[in-house]
Amino acid sequence: MKKQFAVALSALCLLLGNEASSQAKPAATPAPADTTKKAPPKPSINDKVKSSKKHAGLFTVYQDTATGSVQMFIRKDQLEKEFIYQSFSLSGPTSLFLNQSMHRSTLLFKIRKSFDKLEFSLVNTNFYYDPNNAVSKSANVDVAESVFFADKVSFEDSTGYLITADALFVSEKLDPVKPLPNPTVPSFMFFNLGGYNPTKSKVSGLRSYPNNTDVIVDLAYDNPAPFNQGGKDITDARYIRIKLQHSFIEVPKNDYKPRKDDPRIGYFSQEVDDLTANTYTPYKDVINRWHLKKKDPSAAVSEPVEPITYWVENTTPVEYRQTIVEAGLKWNEAFEKAGYKNAVQMKIMPDDATWDPADIRYNVIRWVSSMYPSYGAIGPSFVNPKTGQILGADITIEWKPAALFPGDAVYTDRTALSITPAEDATAAFEKMLPANLHNHWKNCNIGKYVMQQYAAGFAMAQLAGATSEEEKEFHKQFLYYLVMHEMGHTLGLNHNMKASSILSPSEVHNKAITSKVGLMGSVMDYPSVNVALDKTKQGDYYTTKVGPYDVWAIEYGYSEFAANEEDAKLSAIASRSNEPYLTFGNDADDMRSPGNGIDPRVMVNDMSSDMVAYAEDRFKFVNATMPKLLSKFGKTGESYAGIRGRYNLLNFERRSMAQAVANYIGGVYVDRSFIGQNGDSKPYTVVPAAYQKKAMDLLVKYVFAPNAFDADAQLFRYLQLQRRGYNFFGATEDPKLQNNLFSNQVVALQTMLNPVTLSRISNSSLYGNTYSVADVMTDLANGIFKADIAGAVNLYRQNLQTEFVKGAIGIIESKTGYDNAARSAAYNTLRKIKTMLGTAVSPNEQTKAHRSMLVFLIDKALAVK
Ligand SMILES: [Zn+2]
């Protein structure tokens, strides 16, 4: 009788514990009496989990209330099925990208039974094989299996298996948090975590729902003698604990249809190689997008069955909430073109909401304030890697953009501002990063440009005389743009760094045009802030509506088509790509790192279809307002820190312009139209030589000329940092002016003299370029030497001339990188400079010394005895 009761109880527990299982035997059947042998009582799951708290859901998990140990129940029908894993950082060092709810890794995995164990292995989604092709029988032969966890089944019943999951969750098996050692970088360069300490690590939270199970873990690391103490967000570098969320998600069961990618439109995508296709483009790439479906498929415009809903988190400053809601709803304009009404919905999270924003079922827009923000705003999403379906997204915005740019970080005592070999500081930093942090860095770093433009633009608007109403408008427009931009990412769009080039310099301030079209073709650009020196001519500072490109891209990505029409309709949409307002180029093409892109219109911090004209306006703006900085912003009773910060920002504006304009020299315009789409379009058209020369002239006048920085002269003695406590930020406090000013010149020279640029100038001479490397070098030599050849050379011209000569010598002496045309042009330039120096008149000792050094360097390089 006792035994019968035990069996009945265990069956009952099974029923309760694992939802109704069709395989569970009815409890009423009595066990056959056996008088000969005493079989041990059948163990029940209840015995295994009796001291645990149960969280039933996609995977039912049990946490022992005494030890914290976690067991996971895997149903038999879950074996061999695919699941999505997504990790989120909840808190940890900013420098390791572990702060505040960052989406981290997305994986697709399967669970398999092997003997007495369960094995968790990754699914490789890189390949496609046409099932009608016999080759598909050998599919995935060369794909190595990747088992990331295996453990013994501790209990089995008719419905599934129980395993102890501590080693899976409280470990780095799923998401390797600790940066991998980078053999090329000394370990003190970066803050790193010490050894993993399992004793201090634990599962600190569990949530389970029918479609997802979230496991929140605290991972502890000990480093008894850390080289690098981290920053202020590191309480003690010897003991770090980070918080991570593992989310296990059911692959959605729906009729979602992946949409193919097109090179003319910029969606994030999942790359798939078609190994059974025999073409030059064996790509089956699919874009990332939400699963939108019309409620009424027959209607031209219908509400979606399930809208894309964003919650403005209750961390958002109250005064911004309404603006954010309005900005988000602007995307509905794009979705209407794709056939949806109210596709995007914006809600405000109540202050007393009981749900957790980390719950993946809620897409939130949150506000944070970090000590070392590595971004201004970020809009990551996570997707099903097999289909590209976006399953969730969050947007995080940093609270204090101005604090990102206290002003001096880029102008410390740098002794090596050499122009060749040119390497962008960002690229150099990226190279030093441990391999497993690259993706995080790429995702997070870029928003800085936007914030820098914001801080500089706000100062400029004030200098142009903005009223407090106009200042409010400035901020509102910025928020509009920022929120639309980040939401664009969460809808699947990547950047369009070419979009700020659609309007002419006069059109960008014409509200009649910008209110209709937008200031840019797309909100997905990083534009130069649009401020006019003459306030009466001021148009929009930022774009306040989704642009024509955005509408078009959403139409491509989200319109519903009958299956038999889809290819033709998508091709018809994509073939509009050559319309001027739909122009597109993303980060992979942009020219912010010398030698990266080729089309100068694909650039950050630029604006308008005529950058030479736009930049000239900006140089004039900076030169006109620089002398007013002190009277405008100097406040009785305050230090000069704000003056110095704004000075650096305005100078940075010059730098941005110098780089954007320098890109036109040797630039090649790119057209991604397909054959026959656009009459006589050609993929490559060189920037006309006359325009390249115009760019050169502008640089000579506003960046290289002896009087280029005259406007700053009266400020120099006021550029004082505010001392803090005992420390002075690791350097002497006097302003490092020559480096500061020279950095404007360096960026232009690095861009033009990059080996990739010079080689392109030569290559493009074969298809239309008439401005040769020798012409460019000659114009540079004239621009850098002629104006003061008959007199004294000022300090920043001395630096410019010396580094240009060193750069030309570097080109001749470089073993790799520079082609023959560049070397001969550099050689010839040095000879010309020497001739010019022979005619020079040096009225003071420093100028004499400078020129004699130049002659020495040239003679040595040319081996003149
Ligand atoms: Zn972005």
Side-chain angles (χ1 to χ4, degrees):
M1 189 60 215
K2 210 174 162 190
K3 198 170 116 197
Q4 271 185 24
F5 177 73
V7 172
L9 184 67
S10 82
L12 187 67
C13 287
L14 272 171
L15 274 169
L16 286 175
N18 300 299
E19 324 288 337
S21 163
S22 55
Q23 277 131 20
K25 292 257 156 45
T29 314
D34 185 345
T35 48
T36 53
K37 272 189 270 170
K38 269 206 174 159
K42 213 172 175 191
S44 87
I45 191 166
N46 198 37
D47 300 331
K48 288 282 181 184
V49 300
K50 61 184 169 214
S51 60
S52 294
K53 187 170 177 213
K54 176 181 172 185
H55 303 262
L58 176 65
F59 293 107
T60 296
V61 279
Y62 303 87
Q63 184 168 34
D64 191 295
T65 51
T67 66
S69 173
V70 174
Q71 299 182 87
M72 181 180 186
F73 189 82
I74 291 104
R75 295 195 316 266
K76 287 190 173 167
D77 63 1
Q78 290 177 320
L79 293 183
E80 300 294 340
K81 263 180 72 176
E82 289 173 353
F83 294 94
I84 293 164
Y85 165 80
Q86 175 67 42
S87 59
F88 303 82
S89 56
L90 298 185
S91 81
T94 321
S95 57
L96 301 179
F97 309 107
L98 285 164
N99 48 325
Q100 297 137 350
S101 299
M102 291 288 185
H103 294 65
R104 290 176 58 87
S105 308
T106 311
L107 311 169
L108 198 65
F109 71 96
K110 263 184 188 176
I111 306 167
R112 171 174 303 145
K113 174 104 191 317
S114 178
F115 298 109
D116 61 345
K117 292 195 185 84
L118 291 191
E119 288 179 354
F120 289 62
S121 62
L122 299 180
V123 177
N124 187 322
T125 58
N126 295 331
F127 306 115
Y128 170 83
Y129 301 85
D130 178 354
N132 297 322
N133 188 323
V135 171
S136 64
K137 291 199 177 74
S138 66
N140 290 325
V141 280
D142 46 5
V143 173
E145 215 183 347
S146 186
V147 177
F148 58 90
F149 179 71
D151 199 34
K152 222 169 175 170
V153 172
S154 64
F155 171 82
E156 175 181 353
D157 65 17
S158 59
T159 61
Y161 309 96
L162 190 71
I163 56 166
T164 302
D166 295 325
L168 174 63
F169 301 145
V170 196
S171 73
E172 293 200 327
K173 288 194 168 62
L174 287 158
D175 179 0
V177 174
K178 191 178 148 120
L180 299 169
N182 183 338
T184 63
V185 182
S187 55
F188 60 82
M189 290 285 293
F190 288 97
F191 176 72
N192 207 336
L193 300 169
Y196 175 63
N197 183 333
T199 316
K200 290 199 285 183
S201 303
K202 64 184 178 198
V203 172
S204 59
L206 288 166
R207 282 194 300 254
S208 209
Y209 307 103
N211 300 323
N212 65 293
T213 297
D214 297 338
V215 181
I216 296 150
V217 295
D218 297 353
L219 302 176
Y221 296 84
D222 291 348
N223 189 355
F227 277 127
N228 185 319
Q229 300 295 321
K232 285 193 177 175
D233 54 339
I234 306 300
T235 311
D236 187 330
R238 294 172 298 166
Y239 314 112
I240 305 289
R241 195 146 82 172
I242 61 152
K243 214 178 246 305
L244 195 72
Q245 178 175 316
H246 306 295
S247 287
F248 302 91
I249 305 154
E250 181 155 61
V251 174
K253 293 185 211 96
N254 56 31
D255 51 357
Y256 176 83
K257 275 210 324 244
R259 176 139 301 171
K260 68 175 182 184
D261 185 45
D262 189 286
R264 293 164 285 188
I265 304 171
Y267 272 90
F268 292 115
S269 62
Q270 305 298 315
E271 281 187 12
V272 179
D273 288 304
D274 183 349
L275 293 188
T276 41
N278 188 15
T279 78
Y280 286 97
T281 51
Y283 315 141
K284 290 278 270 188
D285 304 350
V286 294
I287 64 169
N288 293 359
R289 59 173 191 152
W290 293 86
H291 181 219
L292 272 192
K293 220 179 140 178
K294 282 182 179 174
K295 256 187 200 163
D296 176 1
S298 61
V301 178
S302 158
E303 297 213 332
V305 176
E306 199 184 330
I308 309 165
T309 305
Y310 295 84
W311 291 84
V312 179
E313 204 184 79
N314 54 21
T315 49
T316 306
V318 178
E319 64 272 27
Y320 300 158
R321 292 180 185 177
Q322 195 49 40
T323 305
I324 292 168
V325 167
E326 287 167 24
L329 292 175
K330 295 261 173 183
W331 273 103
N332 280 330
E333 209 179 294
F335 280 98
E336 290 217 4
K337 255 292 179 54
Y340 296 97
K341 207 172 137 189
N342 302 328
V344 170
Q345 298 199 354
M346 303 291 292
K347 294 182 176 170
I348 294 175
M349 177 186 184
D351 280 329
D352 56 358
T354 50
W355 51 271
D356 188 336
D359 183 339
I360 59 161
R361 297 173 304 168
Y362 294 90
N363 309 310
V364 301
I365 301 177
R366 76 169 54 85
W367 230 264
V368 299
S369 179
S370 331
M371 182 63 213
Y372 305 105
S374 52
Y375 55 89
I378 185 166
S381 55
F382 67 98
V383 302
N384 178 349
K386 230 175 188 172
T387 63
Q389 185 193 342
I390 298 176
L391 303 169
D394 290 320
I395 291 170
T396 304
I397 298 174
E398 272 290 343
W399 155 243
K400 35 177 195 183
L404 286 175
F405 301 98
D408 261 52
V410 283
Y411 301 129
T412 48
D413 253 329
R414 287 197 293 176
T415 47
L417 276 172
S418 122
I419 56 172
T420 55
E423 180 162 65
D424 172 77
T426 309
F429 179 77
E430 193 180 317
K431 235 182 247 171
M432 294 199 296
L433 274 178
N436 60 336
L437 294 189
H438 271 211
N439 278 339
H440 303 297
W441 161 253
K442 275 214 160 68
N443 284 335
C444 310
N445 158 54
I446 44 188
K448 264 195 175 178
Y449 290 103
V450 171
M451 293 303 167
Q452 181 189 310
Q453 283 298 322
Y454 167 82
F458 194 65
M460 288 194 292
Q462 289 177 309
L463 284 162
T467 61
S468 66
E469 276 312 299
E470 285 161 344
E471 285 178 13
K472 268 190 208 141
E473 182 60 22
F474 181 99
H475 189 258
K476 190 174 175 179
Q477 290 188 0
F478 170 70
L479 263 187
Y480 258 100
Y481 152 71
L482 186 69
V483 170
M484 287 190 292
H485 178 105
E486 296 307 330
M487 276 184 61
H489 285 317
T490 64
L491 296 170
L493 297 177
N494 59 32
H495 285 136
N496 181 354
M497 299 307 194
K498 205 173 177 182
S500 58
S501 67
I502 66 164
L503 300 180
S504 72
S506 58
E507 288 171 328
V508 296
H509 282 296
N510 184 338
K511 282 192 182 174
I513 294 172
T514 57
S515 65
K516 242 183 19 215
V517 181
L519 182 50
M520 309 190 287
S522 165
V523 295
M524 303 313 293
D525 202 338
Y526 284 163
S528 176
V529 57
N530 193 42
V531 187
L533 178 57
D534 178 356
K535 216 185 90 173
T536 61
K537 299 209 172 91
Q538 178 65 51
D540 286 330
Y541 302 103
Y542 286 96
T543 201
T544 55
K545 67 197 299 281
V546 293
Y549 166 88
D550 302 317
V551 174
W552 174 63
I554 294 296
E555 192 187 352
Y556 179 90
Y558 287 88
S559 298
E560 268 183 41
F561 304 111
N564 59 343
E565 297 186 322
E566 180 159 322
D567 275 354
K569 290 255 166 109
L570 288 177
S571 154
I573 294 173
S575 64
R576 288 177 53 207
S577 68
N578 54 297
E579 291 176 21
Y581 285 179
L582 306 185
T583 191
F584 161 70
N586 68 13
D587 311 54
D589 315 315
D590 86 41
M591 297 196 74
R592 84 188 90 155
S593 302
N596 185 42
I598 68 171
D599 186 335
R601 299 169 299 183
V602 189
M603 183 60 188
V604 298
N605 297 341
D606 64 347
M607 177 62 72
S608 94
S609 56
D610 182 355
M611 259 319 280
V612 173
Y614 194 87
E616 178 156 27
D617 268 0
R618 185 59 48 95
F619 283 122
K620 283 182 179 163
F621 193 126
V622 172
N623 291 343
T625 52
M626 217 45 131
K628 297 181 193 159
L629 274 187
L630 194 55
S631 58
K632 176 77 188 172
F633 298 109
K635 286 208 180 91
T636 308
E638 285 187 3
S639 78
Y640 292 92
I643 306 296
R644 179 153 166 164
R646 288 181 180 93
Y647 170 72
N648 285 339
L649 279 169
L650 286 193
N651 202 39
F652 222 92
E653 282 296 303
R654 288 177 172 145
R655 221 181 142 192
S656 304
M657 292 296 121
Q659 191 184 9
V661 168
N663 282 332
Y664 281 82
I665 291 154
V668 174
Y669 295 138
V670 177
D671 183 340
R672 292 200 197 287
S673 300
F674 282 4
I675 299 169
Q677 171 188 327
N678 179 21
D680 62 346
S681 89
K682 298 165 197 70
Y684 302 122
T685 306
V686 287
V687 175
Y691 198 77
Q692 294 189 53
K693 282 194 182 134
K694 229 173 140 181
M696 178 67 85
D697 290 345
L698 188 86
L699 293 171
V700 168
K701 186 170 176 190
Y702 289 98
V703 183
F704 299 148
N707 63 352
F709 308 114
D710 278 3
D712 310 15
Q714 51 188 292
L715 263 185
F716 290 152
R717 66 186 58 209
Y718 297 103
L719 299 179
Q720 185 182 43
L721 273 175
Q722 183 180 316
R723 173 180 288 282
R724 190 173 186 192
Y726 181 78
N727 296 311
F728 212 94
F729 312 108
T732 56
E733 68 170 288
D734 58 316
K736 309 297 180 284
L737 300 167
Q738 54 178 337
N739 287 346
N740 193 332
L741 299 174
F742 183 50
S743 71
N744 293 323
Q745 300 166 329
V746 163
V747 76
L749 288 175
Q750 280 182 341
T751 303
M752 289 183 274
L753 299 183
N754 185 281
V756 177
T757 311
L758 294 185
S759 174
R760 182 168 60 248
I761 291 175
S762 290
N763 278 319
S764 60
S765 72
L766 298 175
Y767 55 94
N769 185 23
T770 54
Y771 194 35
S772 70
V773 173
D775 294 336
V776 172
M777 295 284 279
T778 302
D779 285 349
L780 279 174
N782 289 338
I784 290 170
F785 282 90
K786 265 198 172 159
D788 47 11
I789 200 77
V793 181
N794 69 29
L795 182 65
Y796 49 84
R797 285 278 283 191
Q798 286 175 31
N799 286 326
L800 174 65
Q801 293 176 356
T802 306
E803 294 303 328
F804 180 65
V805 163
K806 282 191 193 163
I809 293 170
I811 291 173
I812 298 172
E813 291 179 347
S814 159
K815 300 266 185 300
T816 52
Y818 288 97
D819 62 14
N820 293 324
R823 283 169 208 260
S824 51
Y827 174 82
N828 208 33
T829 302
L830 288 172
R831 292 184 61 107
K832 279 187 187 166
I833 292 171
K834 200 187 161 193
T835 309
M836 257 193 277
L837 288 172
T839 69
V841 180
S842 303
N844 62 44
E845 206 49 35
Q846 186 60 50
T847 300
K848 261 186 217 154
H850 161 67
R851 285 181 172 144
S852 119
M853 176 73 175
L854 291 184
V855 171
F856 166 75
L857 288 174
I858 294 172
D859 283 350
K860 200 171 122 214
L862 303 186
V864 176
K865 296 277 165 345

